[in-house]
Amino acid sequence: MCKKRINILVIDASCDETAAAVVTDGRTVRSAIVASQTKLHEKYGGVVPELASRAHIEKIYPVIKEAIDCANISEAEIDAIAVANQPGLTVALIVGVTAAKTLAFAWSKPLIAINHLHAHMQSAIINADDVKLPAVALIVSGGHTSLYDYHSPLEPKLLGATIDDAAGEAFDKVATILKLPYPGGPAIEKTAKNGDPAAIDFPRSLLGKGSLDFSFSGVKTAVLYYCRGQDMKGRNLVDSMSRQQIADIAASFQAAIVDVLVEKTRRAAEKIGAETVLLGGGVAANSALRAQLQQMCESAMPAKKLLVAPKQYCTDNAVMVASLAYHKFNAGVFADWALEPKATG
Ligand code: KG4
Ligand code: ZN
C-alpha cells in the first residue's frame, strides 16, 4: 500500500516578507508565494517595524489564497498548517500566527509552530542522505547570528549568539555607509570581488577566550570611522573614493566578518566534538564564507564534513519551513491555541 502524502500549508511573516506555500512531504513545492517588502524599506536602509506590520496585514490573506489556488488543492487535502512564530519582529509574526491559528481552528487542522532559525538549519541538510552527529550549526541571517549544538531537527541547543548586530545586519549597514544597494550582503560580496581583503585591518572581535557569542557592532563602527574620519565631523568620504578604494573597504570588512564566523564555528565544533558543520541563513550565500568554512572543516583534526544550504535555500524560503514542519508532523509535535509570537529564538 502506498504511503499517504502529507500536504502542509506553511505561513511565514517573520520579518519583511509575507510568505505562504503548500509543500508535499516536506520537499515537493506545489506553490510558494512571497510578497516582498524590500522596496518599502529600501530608502530607510533597514526594516521599519510599523511599515512591515501594515504590509503583512494587507498581504496575508491574498498571499495565502494565491498559495492555495496555485497548488490547486482543496481544504480537505491539507493535513496541517505550519507557521513561523519565532524569532522575528513581534508585530510581523503576530500577523502570520493569527492567520494560521484562525485557519487551523476553522478547518480543524493541526497547528505546527516553527522556529524560523531552526528552519534555516533544516535548509543545510535538505539534500543530505546522512548527517553524522553531533553537528554544529552556524545560522547567519539578517536578524540573527547563532551557533547551535544540533542533535536532532526537533531540539537544537543554542551555544552562542550575537550580543549586538547580526552578521547580515552588519553587511546591510556597511553597504549603506558605502552607498551600495539594499540588501547589502550581495552588493558587498560583488564589490569585494575586486578588492584586497588585506588592505585595511578592521577589528575582529572574538570576545572572551572561550566565548561562542558574536559582536559585529565594532567592525561596523570601524568602517564608519574609516569613511567619516575619527571625529565623525567630516563628510562621508565615500563620494570622493575611487572604485578600487570602495572595493578594498568591502573586501576588508567581509574578511573581518568571515574570520570571526569561522573562528567561532571552529571553537564550537571543538567544544562539542562535532562530526559535521551545518551552514544556513541569508549570509550563507556568501562565497568567501562558504570557502573559508570549507577550509576550516578540511584542516580540522579530525576533519569535519560541511553541509551548506543550496544558494536558493539560504535566504528565507518555504521549503526550509515545510521540511521542519514535516518532521514535526511525523513526530506528532503540535502547537495549541495558546501559540504566541516570540521575538527571540
Ligand atoms: O535569512 P535571511 O533571508 O533573512 C532573515 O531571516 O534575516 O537573510 C537576509 C540577510 C540580509 O542581511 C542580506 O544582506 C544577507 O542575508 N545576505 C548576504 C548575502 N546574501 C544575502 N550577506 C552576505 N553575502 C551574501 N551573498
Ligand atoms: Zn531567515
Side-chain angles (χ1 to χ4, degrees):
M1 206 172 73
C2 57
K3 203 170 153 237
K4 181 187 176 326
R5 296 204 172 281
I6 302 300
N7 299 309
I8 302 183
L9 169 65
V10 302
I11 298 171
D12 190 336
S14 48
C15 189
D16 60 349
E17 284 179 345
T18 320
V22 176
V23 183
T24 301
D25 292 345
R27 284 188 94 96
T28 312
V29 182
R30 293 182 57 167
S31 66
I33 309 298
V34 179
S36 167
Q37 302 174 6
T38 303
K39 282 264 162 288
L40 194 65
H41 303 293
E42 201 171 23
K43 60 175 179 273
Y44 304 102
V47 178
V48 182
E50 289 78 5
L51 296 181
S53 180
R54 197 180 315 153
H56 282 305
I57 291 168
E58 279 167 16
K59 294 288 181 196
I60 193 84
Y61 174 71
V63 164
I64 292 173
K65 180 163 183 343
E66 201 179 336
I68 292 172
D69 289 348
C70 286
N72 197 16
I73 195 167
S74 70
E75 170 205 319
E77 292 169 289
I78 293 174
D79 297 285
I81 296 173
V83 64
N85 76 310
Q86 69 178 112
L89 287 173
T90 313
V91 290
L93 288 164
I94 197 160
V95 180
V97 170
T98 307
K101 284 205 292 197
T102 308
L103 280 179
F105 185 77
W107 291 348
S108 301
K109 306 286 179 190
L111 180 67
I112 301 172
I114 298 291
N115 179 314
H116 181 90
L117 295 180
H118 297 180
H120 270 300
M121 236 173 281
Q122 199 63 26
S123 65
I125 57 168
I126 229 145
N127 293 331
D129 298 325
D130 176 35
V131 182
K132 281 215 172 93
L133 299 174
V136 150
L138 172 66
I139 302 304
V140 265
S141 72
H144 296 86
T145 302
S146 308
L147 278 165
Y148 290 88
D149 176 347
Y150 180 95
H151 276 88
S152 95
L154 302 177
E155 284 175 62
K157 189 171 147 258
L158 189 64
L159 295 170
T162 183
I163 58 168
D164 43 51
D165 290 356
E169 191 180 355
F171 269 98
D172 293 337
K173 287 179 176 167
V174 165
T176 308
I177 298 169
L178 297 180
K179 303 197 170 183
L180 296 171
Y182 173 85
I188 294 214
E189 177 173 6
K190 193 165 161 228
T191 309
K193 288 220 158 70
N194 303 313
D196 173 7
I200 307 148
D201 189 18
F202 287 129
R204 275 109 169 120
S205 169
L206 293 173
L207 303 171
K209 212 166 174 241
S211 168
L212 297 177
D213 289 328
F214 299 89
S215 168
F216 292 117
S217 68
V219 62
K220 176 197 68 187
T221 309
V223 175
L224 189 65
Y225 282 150
Y226 190 87
C227 295
R228 288 267 177 111
Q230 284 298 329
D231 58 5
M232 294 285 291
K233 284 193 177 139
R235 66 194 170 85
N236 192 340
L237 302 175
V238 167
D239 290 330
S240 52
M241 282 181 190
S242 67
R243 286 169 90 99
Q244 188 58 51
Q245 281 173 305
I246 292 177
D248 285 347
I249 298 173
S252 301
F253 161 76
Q254 180 175 273
I257 297 265
V258 169
D259 279 356
V260 172
L261 291 173
V262 172
E263 170 56 15
K264 294 283 172 143
T265 309
R266 191 197 62 73
R267 284 183 187 178
E270 202 167 75
K271 184 175 175 181
I272 68 157
E275 300 260 6
T276 308
V277 172
L278 310 179
L279 175 65
V283 184
N286 187 279
S287 313
L289 174 60
R290 294 163 91 101
Q292 208 165 308
L293 211 49
Q294 179 66 42
Q295 255 174 18
M296 183 279 281
C297 286
E298 281 167 12
S299 61
M301 288 293 174
K304 293 154 199 353
K305 187 170 167 65
L306 177 66
L307 294 175
V308 185
K311 284 213 173 169
Q312 73 270 29
Y313 296 145
C314 284
T315 44
D316 294 346
N317 64 88
V319 174
M320 67 183 197
V321 180
S323 173
L324 182 54
Y326 184 60
H327 273 287
K328 288 197 156 186
F329 184 91
N330 287 330
V333 179
F334 299 113
D336 60 29
W337 305 126
L339 183 69
E340 299 266 13
K342 216 173 134 203
T344 56

